[in-house]
RNA sequence: GGCGGCGUAGCCAAGUGGCAAGGCAGCGGCCUGCAAAGCCGCGAUACCCCGGUUCAAAUCCGGGCGCCGCCUCCA
């Protein structure tokens, strides 16, 4: 299978370091606010990659961090706290609040939990150790309680983002910091300000810079070289560039084999972001849409392409999902009780797999899925309960599982409603259409839609 | 200014040298007591524009136009 890596901007054959094992690290969120659709897109994308790799037999170790100490969190705590001494407690509260909110929406989207969710504040001593080593080795320097990484000491600085130091300097909107030798040097350790959380270090009280946490935590749990390091494309520079610089200076080895970055969600052409205030919160979208519909919407564009959000488009995807769900329910009704041996993978499944093997091409994979749905429907409408039909249904379930969709389940109706349906059957037998329609209306008002099929009447919620 | 990306039917979206996947919406038909679902059929003589290479280009090359991202925190 081929995977596009940002480092070199090319599709590369996917070969993990250890056969059969994939070490995957995805940059998580900073716990200072709720997640919007953009976050959903990123984590759904990586969830699908993980699920597909697992379906190919890889043992995937998935690590995703939480940033629980950072300027924005501190700022929020200052806004919410009444007195300065409340700040530390407030930070804990904020971090807990948004972590909970994170899981609430991501669980709804059926995103598999990571194997480990390390938090920055639990790894400060390791960060101090790494920063110390970088100073010792001459890659970093201390100035007034801050420690900076010296980008000039890392010759290949810029290799991920396709930039170089000469180009970066002139147009750089880099804030001037008198302490920095080079404006592009980035902070590894920040000296503490009053009432900010801080840790003791060889450079005095302070806290870690942002980039260092991912280097330390990924190496802690996955070793010096990751197979996949992922995140949103806005993290390419400076975050991931800086991670490479500090990690590779520290270990002398490549930091990650494949750098995977997802494209943005845009709102009428512009990036969805907190600062533009044009974001849609997942919590709110999930109040309006079925999480499976949202997931389908998010994977209907290739993960590297921009996704221009329009509420109307989600609505049309809701209809697409109906088609899939309807096929599953119908197949379950017809085949559920049957025992037929499944044949090897159908052509549709092979096409699906091929699409996924080509840099996780979910739109193409969905094409194969819908092709299968069409064939399955044809067979079901002919009442063919043979091995071929059974296999199609089996493959469909497999595809849905790989894409992370919970399988549509048949529900049960209350006995009263079941009785109504039986009464209607009687009425229909007697060609009492008025009564039949009356009962159908009653059920409709309760959100139940009846469908009279050659195999009998079935119902659906709508 | 530097680097990167996007522009395919009404909408969404694959395809990156050889007759333009798939989904939604729409139209006609079959099925149905009527419906719903499903099935069958119909849609780009053409892929932002202009040149070029080629037997052959949406796909390669050159030049434009429009939009966006990164270069500051950001999935």
């Amino acid at each position: 299978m081929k995977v596009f890596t940002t480092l070199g901007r090319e599709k590369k054959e996917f070969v993990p370091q250890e056969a059969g094992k994939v070490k995957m690290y995805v940059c998580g969120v900073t716990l200072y606010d709720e997640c919007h659709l953009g976050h959903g897109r990123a984590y759904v994308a990586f969830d699908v990659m993980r699920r597909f790799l697992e379906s190919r037999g890889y043992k995937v170790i998935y690590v995703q961090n939480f940033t629980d100490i950072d300027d924005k969190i501190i700022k929020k705590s200052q806004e919410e706290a009444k007195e300065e001494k409340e700040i530390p407690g407030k930070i804990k509260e904020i971090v807990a609040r948004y972590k909970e909110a994170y899981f609430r929406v991501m669980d709804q989207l059926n995103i598999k939990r990571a194997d480990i969710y390390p938090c920055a504040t639990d790894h400060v001593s390791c960060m101090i150790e790494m920063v110390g080593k970088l100073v010792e080795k001459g890659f970093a320097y201390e100035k007034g309680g801050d420690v900076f990484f010296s980008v000039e000491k890392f010759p290949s600085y810029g290799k991920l983002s396709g930039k170089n130091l000469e180009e970066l300097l002139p147009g750089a909107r880099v804030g001037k910091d008198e302490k920095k030798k080079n404006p592009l040097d980035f902070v590894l350790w920040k000296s503490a300000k009053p009432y900010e959380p801080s840790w003791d270090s060889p450079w005095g009280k302070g806290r870690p810079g942002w980039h260092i946490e991912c280097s330390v935590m990924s190496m802690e749990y996955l070793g010096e070289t990751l197979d996949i390091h992922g995140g949103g494309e806005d993290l390419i520079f400076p975050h991931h560039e800086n991670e490479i610089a500090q990690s590779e200076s520290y270990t002398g080895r490549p930091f990650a084999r494949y750098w995977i970055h997802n494209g943005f969600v845009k709102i009428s052409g512009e990036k969805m972001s907190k600062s533009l205030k044009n974001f849609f919160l997942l919590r709110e979208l999930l109040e309006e849409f079925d999480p499976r519909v949202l997931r389908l919407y998010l994977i209907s564009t290739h993960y590297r392409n921009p996704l221009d959000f329009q509420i109307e488009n989600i609505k049309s995807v809701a209809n697409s999902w109906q088609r899939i769900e309807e096929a599953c329910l119908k197949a379950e009704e017809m085949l559920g009780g049957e025992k037929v041996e499944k044949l090897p993978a159908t052509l549709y499944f092979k096409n699906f797999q091929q699409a996924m093997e080509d840099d996780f091409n979910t739109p193409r994979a969905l094409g194969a899925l819908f092709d299968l749905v069409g064939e399955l429907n044809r067979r079901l409408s002919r009442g063919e309960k043979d091995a071929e039909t059974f296999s199609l249904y089996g493959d469909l379930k497999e595809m849905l599982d790989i894409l992370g969709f919970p399988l549509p389940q048949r529900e049960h109706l209350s006995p009263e409603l079941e009785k109504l349906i039986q009464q209607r059957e009687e009425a229909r037998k007697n060609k009492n259409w008025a009564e039949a329609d009356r009962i159908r209306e009653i059920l409709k008002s309760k959100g139940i839609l009846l469908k009279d099929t050659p195999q009998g009447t079935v119902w659906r919620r709508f």
Side-chain angles (χ1 to χ4, degrees), chain A residues 326 329-330 333-334 380-381 424-425 428 440 449-460:
Chain A
E326 181 60 28
L329 292 173
K330 212 186 308 177
E333 280 155 7
M334 277 185 66
L380 292 174
S381 65
R424 179 168 173 275
E425 284 299 273
R428 289 183 71 227
R440 189 162 61 186
L449 188 72
L450 294 183
K451 307 179 178 197
D452 302 319
T453 75
Q455 287 80 31
T457 298
V458 298
W459 60 272
R460 300 280 183 259

Side-chain angles (χ1 to χ4, degrees), chain A residues 24 26-29 36-50 62 64 102 106 109 111 230-235 260-265 282 295 298-299 303 307:
Chain A
M24 191 167 174
V26 177
C27 282
V29 293
H36 56 62
L37 187 62
H39 298 104
R41 180 180 196 196
Y43 300 120
V44 164
F46 290 107
D47 183 57
V48 169
M49 292 179 203
R50 173 204 195 161
Y62 190 105
Q64 185 176 316
Y102 174 90
M106 296 301 166
L109 285 170
I111 288 163
E233 66 180 5
D234 53 345
L235 298 181
I260 304 183
H261 294 98
N262 65 276
F264 282 125
V265 176
L282 286 170
R295 183 177 258 267
L298 289 171
I299 65 170
Y303 77 88
L307 173 62

Side-chain angles (χ1 to χ4, degrees), chain A residues 253-461:
Chain A
R253 314 169 81 93
F255 183 41
R257 294 166 68 83
Y258 303 87
W259 286 90
I260 304 183
H261 294 98
N262 65 276
F264 282 125
V265 176
K266 302 194 300 174
I267 298 283
S268 52
E270 283 184 309
K271 172 180 174 177
M272 178 181 290
S273 73
K274 294 278 168 63
S275 48
L276 289 169
K277 295 195 167 64
N278 63 351
F279 53 87
F280 282 72
L281 292 179
L282 286 170
R283 175 175 54 76
E284 291 168 350
L285 288 167
L286 285 164
E287 283 164 13
E288 190 174 350
F289 298 102
D290 186 312
R292 296 167 303 183
V293 168
L294 221 44
R295 183 177 258 267
L296 182 60
Y297 173 69
L298 289 171
I299 65 170
S300 64
T301 298
H302 183 83
Y303 77 88
R304 282 193 282 115
N305 286 152
L307 173 62
D308 208 330
F309 173 85
Q310 309 234 35
I311 205 106
E312 290 306 314
N313 293 342
I314 302 189
K315 289 177 185 164
S316 87
V317 167
N319 292 336
S320 302
W321 173 254
Q322 276 304 310
R323 181 170 165 80
I324 296 170
E325 182 163 49
E326 181 60 28
C328 280
L329 292 173
K330 212 186 308 177
E332 189 59 34
E333 280 155 7
M334 277 185 66
L335 306 171
E338 310 280 324
K339 278 235 183 277
V340 184
E341 204 173 316
K342 187 183 173 304
L343 301 169
T346 59
L347 176 69
Y348 305 99
F349 190 77
K350 286 176 188 158
N351 288 341
F352 174 90
Q353 226 165 20
Q354 233 168 51
M356 291 299 286
E357 281 173 357
D358 185 10
D359 194 29
F360 310 103
N361 194 327
T362 50
R364 215 169 95 204
L366 287 170
L369 188 150
F370 280 107
D371 286 342
L372 182 151
V373 166
E375 179 61 17
L376 180 61
N377 279 335
R378 273 186 289 279
R379 291 175 160 273
L380 292 174
S381 65
R382 287 188 228 113
E384 293 171 357
K385 300 185 189 179
D386 55 13
E388 185 67 27
T389 309
F390 199 84
S391 298
L392 287 169
Y393 180 41
D395 280 353
L396 176 58
K397 287 193 283 192
E398 179 78 24
M399 290 175 181
L400 290 173
D401 187 50
I402 290 171
L403 295 175
F405 294 103
L407 294 178
Q409 296 290 327
R410 289 169 72 187
E411 295 174 77
H412 292 286
L413 278 187
S414 65
E416 300 86 77
L417 295 180
E418 284 289 1
K419 200 174 165 203
L420 272 177
I421 292 176
Q422 276 176 20
Q423 283 171 11
R424 179 168 173 275
E425 284 299 273
E426 276 304 307
R428 289 183 71 227
K429 259 182 212 152
N430 302 325
K431 298 201 190 297
N432 185 351
W433 308 129
E435 174 65 4
D437 290 348
R438 192 185 67 84
I439 295 173
R440 189 162 61 186
E441 280 306 310
I442 293 171
L443 287 158
K444 196 175 171 188
S445 69
K446 295 183 189 300
I448 306 290
L449 188 72
L450 294 183
K451 307 179 178 197
D452 302 319
T453 75
Q455 287 80 31
T457 298
V458 298
W459 60 272
R460 300 280 183 259
R461 287 194 195 283

Side-chain angles (χ1 to χ4, degrees), chain A residues 152-258:
Chain A
E152 286 161 34
K153 297 282 167 58
F154 187 69
S156 58
Y157 189 80
K159 66 180 173 183
L160 181 70
S161 52
K163 302 174 189 299
N164 61 54
L165 291 178
E166 293 73 49
E167 286 166 357
L168 275 168
L169 271 175
R173 291 182 285 163
V174 177
K176 284 191 193 103
D177 187 330
E178 296 305 318
K179 293 178 187 168
K180 289 182 183 177
K181 288 181 185 166
N182 182 319
L184 296 170
D185 289 349
F186 57 90
V187 68
L188 296 168
W189 185 261
K190 292 179 167 183
S191 55
K193 295 196 185 97
Y195 296 106
E196 281 184 7
S198 63
W199 289 259
D200 287 318
S201 83
W203 318 283
K205 280 192 175 298
R207 61 188 166 96
W210 176 38
H211 314 298
I212 196 75
E213 69 175 83
C214 288
S215 290
V216 164
M217 296 192 289
S218 61
M219 284 194 254
E220 164 95 20
Y221 296 103
L222 298 170
E224 294 182 341
T225 301
L226 317 170
D227 289 308
I228 291 173
H229 191 136
E233 66 180 5
D234 53 345
L235 298 181
I236 296 171
F237 192 90
H239 186 50
H240 288 163
E241 195 69 72
N242 291 350
E243 281 186 42
I244 289 177
Q246 66 202 8
S247 301
E248 298 191 354
S249 298
Y250 179 72
T251 65
R253 314 169 81 93
F255 183 41
R257 294 166 68 83
Y258 303 87

Side-chain angles (χ1 to χ4, degrees), chain A residues 58-157:
Chain A
Y58 287 108
K59 165 93 183 112
V60 178
I61 308 173
Y62 190 105
V63 178
Q64 185 176 316
N65 69 300
F66 280 120
T67 298
D68 60 349
I69 182 67
D70 136 286
D71 290 348
K72 293 188 293 292
I73 299 173
I74 292 170
K75 185 164 170 258
K76 187 124 188 164
S77 72
Q78 288 166 343
E79 287 164 7
E80 292 187 9
K82 292 186 194 78
E83 300 175 59
E84 287 189 318
K85 64 175 192 219
E86 287 179 9
I87 287 176
K90 204 72 197 171
I91 288 178
K92 277 197 180 121
E93 185 194 319
I94 288 167
V95 161
R97 182 197 310 161
Y98 293 117
K99 190 186 280 188
E100 197 195 321
Y102 174 90
F103 284 124
R104 203 178 306 131
V105 292
M106 296 301 166
D107 287 350
Q108 279 188 71
L109 285 170
N110 203 33
I111 288 163
K112 274 178 94 161
R113 294 272 180 131
D115 295 294
I116 307 165
Y117 286 103
C119 287
T121 57
D122 294 330
H123 298 78
V124 174
S125 61
C126 289
M127 294 185 213
I128 290 170
E129 198 184 312
M130 180 167 167
V131 173
K133 256 306 191 294
L134 287 169
V135 173
E136 205 175 288
K137 287 185 164 188
F139 290 106
Y141 56 92
E142 186 265 349
K143 193 83 188 271
D146 293 334
V147 181
F148 298 98
F149 185 91
S150 180
V151 293
E152 286 161 34
K153 297 282 167 58
F154 187 69
S156 58
Y157 189 80

